[in-house]
Amino acid sequence: MRLVFMGPPGAGKGTQAKRLCDSLRIAHVSTGDMIRERIRAGTPVGLKVQPFVESGGLVPDPIMVDLVSERLAEPDCATGFLLDGFPRTQPQAESLTRSLAKLGRQLKAVIVLEVPDDEVVGRLSGRRTCTNPNCQANYHMHTIRPREVGKCDRCGHPLVQRPDDRPEAIRTRLENYHRQTEEVAKYYHDTGLVRRVVGVGSVDEVHQRIRDVIDATGR
Ligand code: AP5
């Protein structure tokens, strides 16, 4: 099964993607995680993209397209994947169409998680993320709290605020979403692949809505 997750920053893409990929046993391809991994490791790509990411801007298309093409060629993607955060621009969507056509593969659905801007701002301002690169669990200061303040429930590592969760960066990310990424949903509209899911409600409720949509689409 090959899926794309779209939605504004903070819509819950990462939270839902981790859960869905575990249950469907497909690869979770998160471009945000891939980028943050490179920034942490200080690779040439990481150093190049850091200013874009921390200010809330989009990483240039050629860099993203190369990273994703390489990732989709890895063995764990052969049986299925969920793209979380890609494509975000029309050139990225066109490149994905070409790559999949070359591999003789097709997308099953493009799931758009819909969450209003004011809810997204509240979620991102309160988000705290685990610093353990192998965990990266997300929490929220008010709604999804860790058992112990500032400490991950799963692995005990410290929790921090992402640099792009500062108010100015959140504004820029939302603007980019409305200006560029919503166009991508229009790009997919005529293919009949787009499924819109209300992203407000508990994590369990949203997960169930996504499962229902996928089940209705068939495998
Ligand atoms: P990325 O990491 O993909 O950031 P994003 O799309 O802005 O999404 P987020 O990770 O902020 O939010 P999310 O939707 O995953 O929500 P989450 O589950 O964490 O990308 C980061 C940056 O990398 C980009 O800004 C860009 O610079 C670059 N980049 C990445 N891909 C790119 C591309 N293709 N092209 C160019 N540049 C690219 O949840 C958010 C919060 O809400 C958490 O606190 C969580 O606990 C909470 N929460 C989750 N679900 C619920 C719920 N149902 N109710 C209440 N709270 C909830």
mmCIF file of all heavy atoms in Angstrom, residues 7-16 30-33 35-36 52-53 56-59 64 84-88 92 119 123-124 126-128 138-140 143-144 162 164-165 173 199 201-203 206, ligand 1:
data_model
loop_
_atom_site.group_PDB
_atom_site.id
_atom_site.type_symbol
_atom_site.label_atom_id
_atom_site.label_comp_id
_atom_site.label_asym_id
_atom_site.label_seq_id
_atom_site.Cartn_x
_atom_site.Cartn_y
_atom_site.Cartn_z
ATOM 1 N N GLY A 7 -1.376 17.849 4.994
ATOM 2 C CA GLY A 7 -2.092 18.582 6.036
ATOM 3 C C GLY A 7 -1.194 19.670 6.549
ATOM 4 O O GLY A 7 0.030 19.589 6.394
ATOM 5 N N PRO A 8 -1.772 20.691 7.182
ATOM 6 C CA PRO A 8 -0.951 21.798 7.674
ATOM 7 C C PRO A 8 0.037 21.327 8.723
ATOM 8 O O PRO A 8 -0.117 20.237 9.286
ATOM 9 C CB PRO A 8 -1.987 22.753 8.290
ATOM 10 C CG PRO A 8 -3.189 21.926 8.548
ATOM 11 C CD PRO A 8 -3.182 20.825 7.528
ATOM 12 N N PRO A 9 1.054 22.146 9.013
ATOM 13 C CA PRO A 9 1.974 21.801 10.097
ATOM 14 C C PRO A 9 1.168 21.597 11.361
ATOM 15 O O PRO A 9 0.232 22.358 11.638
ATOM 16 C CB PRO A 9 2.875 23.047 10.226
ATOM 17 C CG PRO A 9 2.181 24.137 9.483
ATOM 18 C CD PRO A 9 1.332 23.473 8.442
ATOM 19 N N GLY A 10 1.488 20.549 12.111
ATOM 20 C CA GLY A 10 0.782 20.317 13.375
ATOM 21 C C GLY A 10 -0.558 19.629 13.210
ATOM 22 O O GLY A 10 -1.292 19.453 14.183
ATOM 23 N N ALA A 11 -0.889 19.179 12.007
ATOM 24 C CA ALA A 11 -2.187 18.523 11.787
ATOM 25 C C ALA A 11 -2.248 17.159 12.465
ATOM 26 O O ALA A 11 -3.323 16.589 12.632
ATOM 27 C CB ALA A 11 -2.456 18.368 10.300
ATOM 28 N N GLY A 12 -1.066 16.617 12.816
ATOM 29 C CA GLY A 12 -1.034 15.287 13.428
ATOM 30 C C GLY A 12 -0.542 14.237 12.437
ATOM 31 O O GLY A 12 -0.705 13.033 12.678
ATOM 32 N N LYS A 13 0.108 14.678 11.358
ATOM 33 C CA LYS A 13 0.583 13.724 10.336
ATOM 34 C C LYS A 13 1.553 12.711 10.942
ATOM 35 O O LYS A 13 1.415 11.516 10.738
ATOM 36 C CB LYS A 13 1.267 14.472 9.176
ATOM 37 C CG LYS A 13 0.390 15.485 8.472
ATOM 38 C CD LYS A 13 1.106 16.153 7.318
ATOM 39 C CE LYS A 13 2.289 16.997 7.716
ATOM 40 N NZ LYS A 13 1.962 18.202 8.530
ATOM 41 N N GLY A 14 2.548 13.226 11.674
ATOM 42 C CA GLY A 14 3.555 12.344 12.252
ATOM 43 C C GLY A 14 2.947 11.382 13.264
ATOM 44 O O GLY A 14 3.218 10.180 13.238
ATOM 45 N N THR A 15 2.104 11.919 14.147
ATOM 46 C CA THR A 15 1.467 11.091 15.182
ATOM 47 C C THR A 15 0.672 9.962 14.532
ATOM 48 O O THR A 15 0.792 8.795 14.910
ATOM 49 C CB THR A 15 0.502 11.982 16.021
ATOM 50 O OG1 THR A 15 1.252 13.066 16.565
ATOM 51 C CG2 THR A 15 -0.162 11.205 17.131
ATOM 52 N N GLN A 16 -0.130 10.308 13.544
ATOM 53 C CA GLN A 16 -0.985 9.307 12.904
ATOM 54 C C GLN A 16 -0.166 8.369 12.012
ATOM 55 O O GLN A 16 -0.453 7.167 11.940
ATOM 56 C CB GLN A 16 -2.086 9.995 12.069
ATOM 57 C CG GLN A 16 -3.059 10.798 12.911
ATOM 58 C CD GLN A 16 -3.879 9.927 13.872
ATOM 59 O OE1 GLN A 16 -4.059 8.732 13.656
ATOM 60 N NE2 GLN A 16 -4.366 10.535 14.943
ATOM 61 N N SER A 30 9.158 10.011 6.487
ATOM 62 C CA SER A 30 8.875 11.377 6.937
ATOM 63 C C SER A 30 10.008 12.271 6.475
ATOM 64 O O SER A 30 11.152 12.130 6.934
ATOM 65 C CB SER A 30 8.779 11.403 8.469
ATOM 66 O OG SER A 30 9.023 12.714 8.936
ATOM 67 N N THR A 31 9.694 13.207 5.570
ATOM 68 C CA THR A 31 10.775 14.068 5.059
ATOM 69 C C THR A 31 11.273 15.004 6.157
ATOM 70 O O THR A 31 12.449 15.327 6.196
ATOM 71 C CB THR A 31 10.321 14.850 3.814
ATOM 72 O OG1 THR A 31 9.028 15.400 4.042
ATOM 73 C CG2 THR A 31 10.301 13.958 2.596
ATOM 74 N N GLY A 32 10.381 15.393 7.086
ATOM 75 C CA GLY A 32 10.832 16.236 8.202
ATOM 76 C C GLY A 32 11.865 15.496 9.039
ATOM 77 O O GLY A 32 12.919 16.038 9.376
ATOM 78 N N ASP A 33 11.591 14.212 9.360
ATOM 79 C CA ASP A 33 12.551 13.422 10.156
ATOM 80 C C ASP A 33 13.866 13.240 9.386
ATOM 81 O O ASP A 33 14.953 13.309 9.973
ATOM 82 C CB ASP A 33 11.973 12.029 10.478
ATOM 83 C CG ASP A 33 10.862 12.090 11.531
ATOM 84 O OD1 ASP A 33 10.676 13.157 12.141
ATOM 85 O OD2 ASP A 33 10.162 11.064 11.719
ATOM 86 N N ILE A 35 15.202 15.188 7.203
ATOM 87 C CA ILE A 35 15.925 16.459 7.197
ATOM 88 C C ILE A 35 16.553 16.730 8.578
ATOM 89 O O ILE A 35 17.724 17.100 8.673
ATOM 90 C CB ILE A 35 14.911 17.599 6.863
ATOM 91 C CG1 ILE A 35 14.484 17.527 5.400
ATOM 92 C CG2 ILE A 35 15.413 18.953 7.229
ATOM 93 C CD1 ILE A 35 15.513 18.036 4.462
ATOM 94 N N ARG A 36 15.760 16.498 9.637
ATOM 95 C CA ARG A 36 16.279 16.769 10.992
ATOM 96 C C ARG A 36 17.448 15.843 11.332
ATOM 97 O O ARG A 36 18.397 16.250 11.985
ATOM 98 C CB ARG A 36 15.163 16.643 12.041
ATOM 99 C CG ARG A 36 14.253 17.867 12.070
ATOM 100 C CD ARG A 36 13.227 17.782 13.184
ATOM 101 N NE ARG A 36 12.215 16.779 12.914
ATOM 102 C CZ ARG A 36 11.136 16.972 12.163
ATOM 103 N NH1 ARG A 36 10.927 18.147 11.602
ATOM 104 N NH2 ARG A 36 10.263 16.009 11.942
ATOM 105 N N PHE A 52 16.774 27.084 6.244
ATOM 106 C CA PHE A 52 15.405 27.028 5.689
ATOM 107 C C PHE A 52 14.457 26.458 6.739
ATOM 108 O O PHE A 52 13.392 26.986 6.999
ATOM 109 C CB PHE A 52 15.334 26.124 4.452
ATOM 110 C CG PHE A 52 16.091 26.631 3.254
ATOM 111 C CD1 PHE A 52 17.345 26.129 2.947
ATOM 112 C CD2 PHE A 52 15.546 27.604 2.427
ATOM 113 C CE1 PHE A 52 18.043 26.581 1.847
ATOM 114 C CE2 PHE A 52 16.237 28.063 1.318
ATOM 115 C CZ PHE A 52 17.489 27.561 1.025
ATOM 116 N N VAL A 53 14.875 25.332 7.319
ATOM 117 C CA VAL A 53 13.991 24.603 8.231
ATOM 118 C C VAL A 53 13.716 25.427 9.492
ATOM 119 O O VAL A 53 12.568 25.578 9.912
ATOM 120 C CB VAL A 53 14.619 23.243 8.622
ATOM 121 C CG1 VAL A 53 13.763 22.517 9.635
ATOM 122 C CG2 VAL A 53 14.809 22.379 7.378
ATOM 123 N N GLY A 56 11.279 28.126 9.184
ATOM 124 C CA GLY A 56 9.932 27.709 8.774
ATOM 125 C C GLY A 56 9.757 27.675 7.270
ATOM 126 O O GLY A 56 8.648 27.468 6.779
ATOM 127 N N GLY A 57 10.838 27.868 6.529
ATOM 128 C CA GLY A 57 10.744 27.858 5.060
ATOM 129 C C GLY A 57 10.782 26.445 4.506
ATOM 130 O O GLY A 57 11.009 25.478 5.244
ATOM 131 N N LEU A 58 10.562 26.334 3.200
ATOM 132 C CA LEU A 58 10.636 25.018 2.547
ATOM 133 C C LEU A 58 12.050 24.789 2.017
ATOM 134 O O LEU A 58 12.692 25.717 1.509
ATOM 135 C CB LEU A 58 9.647 24.940 1.384
ATOM 136 C CG LEU A 58 8.161 24.854 1.733
ATOM 137 C CD1 LEU A 58 7.322 24.797 0.469
ATOM 138 C CD2 LEU A 58 7.879 23.639 2.605
ATOM 139 N N VAL A 59 12.501 23.560 2.111
ATOM 140 C CA VAL A 59 13.798 23.176 1.547
ATOM 141 C C VAL A 59 13.644 23.153 0.020
ATOM 142 O O VAL A 59 12.590 22.738 -0.484
ATOM 143 C CB VAL A 59 14.193 21.778 2.095
ATOM 144 C CG1 VAL A 59 15.413 21.224 1.399
ATOM 145 C CG2 VAL A 59 14.383 21.844 3.608
ATOM 146 N N MET A 64 14.990 17.961 -1.960
ATOM 147 C CA MET A 64 13.956 17.048 -1.452
ATOM 148 C C MET A 64 13.709 15.888 -2.418
ATOM 149 O O MET A 64 13.548 14.745 -2.009
ATOM 150 C CB MET A 64 12.634 17.796 -1.231
ATOM 151 C CG MET A 64 12.642 18.805 -0.122
ATOM 152 S SD MET A 64 13.371 18.257 1.423
ATOM 153 C CE MET A 64 12.452 16.779 1.786
ATOM 154 N N ASP A 84 5.077 11.096 4.463
ATOM 155 C CA ASP A 84 4.586 12.078 5.439
ATOM 156 C C ASP A 84 5.383 13.367 5.225
ATOM 157 O O ASP A 84 6.542 13.445 5.589
ATOM 158 C CB ASP A 84 4.800 11.452 6.835
ATOM 159 C CG ASP A 84 4.749 12.438 7.987
ATOM 160 O OD1 ASP A 84 4.402 13.602 7.774
ATOM 161 O OD2 ASP A 84 5.063 12.009 9.118
ATOM 162 N N GLY A 85 4.737 14.350 4.568
ATOM 163 C CA GLY A 85 5.420 15.637 4.345
ATOM 164 C C GLY A 85 5.973 15.813 2.947
ATOM 165 O O GLY A 85 6.680 16.785 2.686
ATOM 166 N N PHE A 86 5.666 14.932 2.057
ATOM 167 C CA PHE A 86 6.117 15.003 0.664
ATOM 168 C C PHE A 86 5.035 14.371 -0.202
ATOM 169 O O PHE A 86 4.533 13.305 0.172
ATOM 170 C CB PHE A 86 7.428 14.240 0.486
ATOM 171 C CG PHE A 86 8.034 14.351 -0.904
ATOM 172 C CD1 PHE A 86 9.016 15.291 -1.185
ATOM 173 C CD2 PHE A 86 7.614 13.499 -1.926
ATOM 174 C CE1 PHE A 86 9.567 15.381 -2.455
ATOM 175 C CE2 PHE A 86 8.162 13.601 -3.193
ATOM 176 C CZ PHE A 86 9.146 14.532 -3.460
ATOM 177 N N PRO A 87 4.643 14.967 -1.314
ATOM 178 C CA PRO A 87 5.122 16.228 -1.893
ATOM 179 C C PRO A 87 4.451 17.445 -1.259
ATOM 180 O O PRO A 87 3.329 17.376 -0.821
ATOM 181 C CB PRO A 87 4.706 16.100 -3.363
ATOM 182 C CG PRO A 87 3.522 15.193 -3.365
ATOM 183 C CD PRO A 87 3.688 14.263 -2.207
ATOM 184 N N ARG A 88 5.196 18.559 -1.267
ATOM 185 C CA ARG A 88 4.681 19.816 -0.711
ATOM 186 C C ARG A 88 4.587 20.907 -1.750
ATOM 187 O O ARG A 88 4.119 22.008 -1.439
ATOM 188 C CB ARG A 88 5.626 20.333 0.367
ATOM 189 C CG ARG A 88 5.299 19.800 1.709
ATOM 190 C CD ARG A 88 6.217 20.424 2.706
ATOM 191 N NE ARG A 88 6.457 19.435 3.704
ATOM 192 C CZ ARG A 88 6.338 19.637 4.997
ATOM 193 N NH1 ARG A 88 6.067 20.803 5.467
ATOM 194 N NH2 ARG A 88 6.537 18.663 5.836
ATOM 195 N N GLN A 92 7.470 18.841 -6.787
ATOM 196 C CA GLN A 92 7.708 17.592 -6.037
ATOM 197 C C GLN A 92 6.654 16.544 -6.413
ATOM 198 O O GLN A 92 6.965 15.366 -6.570
ATOM 199 C CB GLN A 92 7.640 17.846 -4.525
ATOM 200 C CG GLN A 92 8.791 18.676 -3.981
ATOM 201 C CD GLN A 92 8.714 18.906 -2.472
ATOM 202 O OE1 GLN A 92 7.983 18.238 -1.754
ATOM 203 N NE2 GLN A 92 9.493 19.871 -1.996
ATOM 204 N N GLU A 119 -6.214 25.938 15.769
ATOM 205 C CA GLU A 119 -5.930 24.677 16.482
ATOM 206 C C GLU A 119 -4.458 24.274 16.261
ATOM 207 O O GLU A 119 -3.760 23.870 17.190
ATOM 208 C CB GLU A 119 -6.876 23.587 15.959
ATOM 209 C CG GLU A 119 -6.530 22.162 16.355
ATOM 210 C CD GLU A 119 -7.011 21.757 17.746
ATOM 211 O OE1 GLU A 119 -7.844 22.489 18.312
ATOM 212 O OE2 GLU A 119 -6.520 20.723 18.246
ATOM 213 N N ARG A 123 -1.447 23.565 18.939
ATOM 214 C CA ARG A 123 -0.738 22.273 19.009
ATOM 215 C C ARG A 123 0.775 22.462 18.905
ATOM 216 O O ARG A 123 1.546 21.847 19.632
ATOM 217 C CB ARG A 123 -1.184 21.357 17.869
ATOM 218 C CG ARG A 123 -2.570 20.796 18.055
ATOM 219 C CD ARG A 123 -2.854 19.795 16.963
ATOM 220 N NE ARG A 123 -4.228 19.340 16.983
ATOM 221 C CZ ARG A 123 -4.715 18.415 16.174
ATOM 222 N NH1 ARG A 123 -3.931 17.851 15.276
ATOM 223 N NH2 ARG A 123 -5.976 18.060 16.238
ATOM 224 N N LEU A 124 1.195 23.319 17.956
ATOM 225 C CA LEU A 124 2.639 23.460 17.727
ATOM 226 C C LEU A 124 3.327 24.234 18.850
ATOM 227 O O LEU A 124 4.445 23.909 19.233
ATOM 228 C CB LEU A 124 2.910 24.141 16.379
ATOM 229 C CG LEU A 124 2.513 23.307 15.155
ATOM 230 C CD1 LEU A 124 2.791 24.076 13.874
ATOM 231 C CD2 LEU A 124 3.231 21.969 15.124
ATOM 232 N N GLY A 126 2.635 24.153 21.866
ATOM 233 C CA GLY A 126 2.767 23.325 23.073
ATOM 234 C C GLY A 126 3.510 22.021 22.825
ATOM 235 O O GLY A 126 3.694 21.233 23.745
ATOM 236 N N ARG A 127 3.927 21.784 21.583
ATOM 237 C CA ARG A 127 4.565 20.482 21.285
ATOM 238 C C ARG A 127 5.943 20.380 21.934
ATOM 239 O O ARG A 127 6.723 21.322 21.925
ATOM 240 C CB ARG A 127 4.730 20.307 19.774
ATOM 241 C CG ARG A 127 5.563 19.060 19.450
ATOM 242 C CD ARG A 127 5.476 18.635 18.026
ATOM 243 N NE ARG A 127 5.899 19.656 17.091
ATOM 244 C CZ ARG A 127 5.808 19.516 15.766
ATOM 245 N NH1 ARG A 127 5.311 18.416 15.259
ATOM 246 N NH2 ARG A 127 6.202 20.480 14.975
ATOM 247 N N ARG A 128 6.230 19.231 22.467
ATOM 248 C CA ARG A 128 7.567 18.916 22.968
ATOM 249 C C ARG A 128 7.946 17.573 22.354
ATOM 250 O O ARG A 128 7.139 16.657 22.295
ATOM 251 C CB ARG A 128 7.595 18.822 24.501
ATOM 252 C CG ARG A 128 7.277 20.148 25.193
ATOM 253 C CD ARG A 128 8.354 21.220 24.935
ATOM 254 N NE ARG A 128 8.042 22.489 25.579
ATOM 255 C CZ ARG A 128 7.356 23.480 24.996
ATOM 256 N NH1 ARG A 128 6.894 23.360 23.773
ATOM 257 N NH2 ARG A 128 7.150 24.601 25.659
ATOM 258 N N ASN A 138 6.253 12.550 20.209
ATOM 259 C CA ASN A 138 5.723 13.902 20.382
ATOM 260 C C ASN A 138 4.786 13.960 21.575
ATOM 261 O O ASN A 138 3.993 13.045 21.795
ATOM 262 C CB ASN A 138 4.888 14.296 19.151
ATOM 263 C CG ASN A 138 5.760 14.764 18.025
ATOM 264 O OD1 ASN A 138 6.749 15.438 18.247
ATOM 265 N ND2 ASN A 138 5.389 14.407 16.806
ATOM 266 N N TYR A 139 4.858 15.062 22.295
ATOM 267 C CA TYR A 139 3.944 15.306 23.415
ATOM 268 C C TYR A 139 3.381 16.712 23.255
ATOM 269 O O TYR A 139 3.814 17.474 22.387
ATOM 270 C CB TYR A 139 4.683 15.202 24.754
ATOM 271 C CG TYR A 139 5.254 13.827 24.994
ATOM 272 C CD1 TYR A 139 6.503 13.470 24.489
ATOM 273 C CD2 TYR A 139 4.522 12.877 25.685
ATOM 274 C CE1 TYR A 139 7.012 12.202 24.686
ATOM 275 C CE2 TYR A 139 5.030 11.597 25.897
ATOM 276 C CZ TYR A 139 6.271 11.269 25.388
ATOM 277 O OH TYR A 139 6.766 10.014 25.585
ATOM 278 N N HIS A 140 2.434 17.036 24.120
ATOM 279 C CA HIS A 140 1.923 18.399 24.139
ATOM 280 C C HIS A 140 1.828 18.819 25.596
ATOM 281 O O HIS A 140 1.362 18.042 26.431
ATOM 282 C CB HIS A 140 0.555 18.466 23.448
ATOM 283 C CG HIS A 140 0.102 19.871 23.255
ATOM 284 N ND1 HIS A 140 -0.492 20.596 24.255
ATOM 285 C CD2 HIS A 140 0.192 20.688 22.178
ATOM 286 C CE1 HIS A 140 -0.768 21.813 23.794
ATOM 287 N NE2 HIS A 140 -0.357 21.898 22.540
ATOM 288 N N THR A 143 -2.159 18.868 26.375
ATOM 289 C CA THR A 143 -3.134 17.834 25.999
ATOM 290 C C THR A 143 -2.570 16.417 25.995
ATOM 291 O O THR A 143 -3.272 15.467 26.309
ATOM 292 C CB THR A 143 -3.729 18.136 24.606
ATOM 293 O OG1 THR A 143 -2.647 18.266 23.677
ATOM 294 C CG2 THR A 143 -4.548 19.416 24.611
ATOM 295 N N ILE A 144 -1.301 16.266 25.585
ATOM 296 C CA ILE A 144 -0.722 14.910 25.541
ATOM 297 C C ILE A 144 0.547 14.962 26.382
ATOM 298 O O ILE A 144 1.664 15.070 25.874
ATOM 299 C CB ILE A 144 -0.452 14.466 24.083
ATOM 300 C CG1 ILE A 144 -1.733 14.587 23.245
ATOM 301 C CG2 ILE A 144 0.091 13.028 24.025
ATOM 302 C CD1 ILE A 144 -1.561 14.349 21.764
ATOM 303 N N ARG A 162 10.921 22.173 19.266
ATOM 304 C CA ARG A 162 11.605 22.267 17.972
ATOM 305 C C ARG A 162 11.829 23.740 17.631
ATOM 306 O O ARG A 162 10.963 24.570 17.891
ATOM 307 C CB ARG A 162 10.724 21.642 16.876
ATOM 308 C CG ARG A 162 11.038 20.182 16.617
ATOM 309 C CD ARG A 162 10.071 19.483 15.702
ATOM 310 N NE ARG A 162 9.666 20.159 14.484
ATOM 311 C CZ ARG A 162 8.872 19.617 13.569
ATOM 312 N NH1 ARG A 162 8.440 18.377 13.710
ATOM 313 N NH2 ARG A 162 8.517 20.278 12.498
ATOM 314 N N ASP A 164 11.601 25.235 14.913
ATOM 315 C CA ASP A 164 10.582 25.774 13.998
ATOM 316 C C ASP A 164 9.190 25.785 14.639
ATOM 317 O O ASP A 164 8.200 26.022 13.954
ATOM 318 C CB ASP A 164 10.584 25.037 12.644
ATOM 319 C CG ASP A 164 10.323 23.543 12.765
ATOM 320 O OD1 ASP A 164 10.444 22.986 13.884
ATOM 321 O OD2 ASP A 164 9.984 22.919 11.743
ATOM 322 N N ASP A 165 9.107 25.545 15.935
ATOM 323 C CA ASP A 165 7.825 25.694 16.635
ATOM 324 C C ASP A 165 7.753 27.035 17.376
ATOM 325 O O ASP A 165 6.900 27.233 18.235
ATOM 326 C CB ASP A 165 7.594 24.524 17.616
ATOM 327 C CG ASP A 165 7.124 23.260 16.891
ATOM 328 O OD1 ASP A 165 6.726 23.357 15.715
ATOM 329 O OD2 ASP A 165 7.154 22.178 17.509
ATOM 330 N N ARG A 173 5.389 28.690 8.237
ATOM 331 C CA ARG A 173 5.025 27.330 7.785
ATOM 332 C C ARG A 173 3.570 27.278 7.345
ATOM 333 O O ARG A 173 3.240 26.645 6.343
ATOM 334 C CB ARG A 173 5.279 26.325 8.929
ATOM 335 C CG ARG A 173 6.760 26.080 9.159
ATOM 336 C CD ARG A 173 7.038 25.541 10.539
ATOM 337 N NE ARG A 173 6.548 24.184 10.729
ATOM 338 C CZ ARG A 173 6.337 23.641 11.919
ATOM 339 N NH1 ARG A 173 6.557 24.338 13.024
ATOM 340 N NH2 ARG A 173 5.914 22.403 12.008
ATOM 341 N N GLY A 199 -9.180 16.241 11.153
ATOM 342 C CA GLY A 199 -8.054 15.930 12.043
ATOM 343 C C GLY A 199 -8.256 16.426 13.464
ATOM 344 O O GLY A 199 -7.343 16.350 14.282
ATOM 345 N N GLY A 201 -10.093 16.147 17.148
ATOM 346 C CA GLY A 201 -10.650 15.062 17.962
ATOM 347 C C GLY A 201 -9.478 14.354 18.622
ATOM 348 O O GLY A 201 -8.333 14.791 18.466
ATOM 349 N N SER A 202 -9.753 13.266 19.339
ATOM 350 C CA SER A 202 -8.636 12.581 19.998
ATOM 351 C C SER A 202 -7.797 11.843 18.960
ATOM 352 O O SER A 202 -8.252 11.602 17.833
ATOM 353 C CB SER A 202 -9.179 11.586 21.035
ATOM 354 O OG SER A 202 -9.770 10.495 20.350
ATOM 355 N N VAL A 203 -6.574 11.487 19.354
ATOM 356 C CA VAL A 203 -5.679 10.752 18.447
ATOM 357 C C VAL A 203 -6.362 9.450 17.997
ATOM 358 O O VAL A 203 -6.315 9.076 16.818
ATOM 359 C CB VAL A 203 -4.321 10.477 19.145
ATOM 360 C CG1 VAL A 203 -3.453 9.544 18.323
ATOM 361 C CG2 VAL A 203 -3.590 11.785 19.415
ATOM 362 N N VAL A 206 -9.163 10.212 15.377
ATOM 363 C CA VAL A 206 -8.623 10.554 14.047
ATOM 364 C C VAL A 206 -8.076 9.286 13.384
ATOM 365 O O VAL A 206 -8.299 9.046 12.193
ATOM 366 C CB VAL A 206 -7.538 11.656 14.156
ATOM 367 C CG1 VAL A 206 -6.950 11.972 12.794
ATOM 368 C CG2 VAL A 206 -8.107 12.927 14.794
HETATM 369 P P1 AP5 B 1 7.813 18.349 9.068
HETATM 370 O O1 AP5 B 1 8.478 17.714 10.200
HETATM 371 O O2 AP5 B 1 7.161 17.506 8.036
HETATM 372 O O3 AP5 B 1 6.833 19.446 9.678
HETATM 373 P P2 AP5 B 1 5.294 19.781 9.388
HETATM 374 O O4 AP5 B 1 4.665 19.324 8.153
HETATM 375 O O5 AP5 B 1 5.274 21.250 9.618
HETATM 376 O O6 AP5 B 1 4.572 18.910 10.405
HETATM 377 P P3 AP5 B 1 4.846 18.760 11.893
HETATM 378 O O7 AP5 B 1 5.879 17.691 12.130
HETATM 379 O O8 AP5 B 1 5.118 20.074 12.561
HETATM 380 O O9 AP5 B 1 3.398 18.340 12.411
HETATM 381 P P4 AP5 B 1 2.573 17.025 12.166
HETATM 382 O O10 AP5 B 1 1.465 17.277 11.215
HETATM 383 O O11 AP5 B 1 3.471 15.857 11.874
HETATM 384 O O12 AP5 B 1 1.917 16.901 13.598
HETATM 385 P P5 AP5 B 1 2.379 16.054 14.877
HETATM 386 O O13 AP5 B 1 1.910 14.663 14.746
HETATM 387 O O14 AP5 B 1 3.827 16.293 15.161
HETATM 388 O O15 AP5 B 1 8.823 19.289 8.271
HETATM 389 C C1 AP5 B 1 9.678 20.191 8.976
HETATM 390 C C2 AP5 B 1 10.394 21.075 7.988
HETATM 391 O O16 AP5 B 1 11.219 20.283 7.100
HETATM 392 C C3 AP5 B 1 9.504 21.886 7.027
HETATM 393 O O17 AP5 B 1 9.012 23.076 7.634
HETATM 394 C C4 AP5 B 1 10.490 22.160 5.895
HETATM 395 O O18 AP5 B 1 11.401 23.150 6.235
HETATM 396 C C5 AP5 B 1 11.237 20.840 5.779
HETATM 397 N N1 AP5 B 1 10.568 19.910 4.847
HETATM 398 C C6 AP5 B 1 10.035 18.698 5.145
HETATM 399 N N2 AP5 B 1 9.499 18.142 4.042
HETATM 400 C C7 AP5 B 1 9.689 19.014 3.032
HETATM 401 C C8 AP5 B 1 9.344 19.009 1.644
HETATM 402 N N3 AP5 B 1 8.686 17.977 1.094
HETATM 403 N N4 AP5 B 1 9.682 20.091 0.905
HETATM 404 C C9 AP5 B 1 10.359 21.139 1.454
HETATM 405 N N5 AP5 B 1 10.719 21.196 2.746
HETATM 406 C C10 AP5 B 1 10.379 20.149 3.533
HETATM 407 O O19 AP5 B 1 1.482 16.778 15.996
HETATM 408 C C11 AP5 B 1 1.719 18.135 16.353
HETATM 409 C C12 AP5 B 1 1.352 18.341 17.844
HETATM 410 O O20 AP5 B 1 -0.042 18.098 18.024
HETATM 411 C C13 AP5 B 1 2.077 17.378 18.819
HETATM 412 O O21 AP5 B 1 2.290 18.041 20.018
HETATM 413 C C14 AP5 B 1 1.081 16.237 19.014
HETATM 414 O O22 AP5 B 1 1.261 15.582 20.248
HETATM 415 C C15 AP5 B 1 -0.237 17.014 18.950
HETATM 416 N N6 AP5 B 1 -1.359 16.232 18.419
HETATM 417 C C16 AP5 B 1 -1.335 15.278 17.432
HETATM 418 N N7 AP5 B 1 -2.576 14.795 17.186
HETATM 419 C C17 AP5 B 1 -3.405 15.487 18.026
HETATM 420 C C18 AP5 B 1 -4.817 15.456 18.243
HETATM 421 N N8 AP5 B 1 -5.618 14.624 17.563
HETATM 422 N N9 AP5 B 1 -5.324 16.316 19.162
HETATM 423 C C19 AP5 B 1 -4.527 17.159 19.862
HETATM 424 N N10 AP5 B 1 -3.179 17.229 19.711
HETATM 425 C C20 AP5 B 1 -2.636 16.400 18.798
#
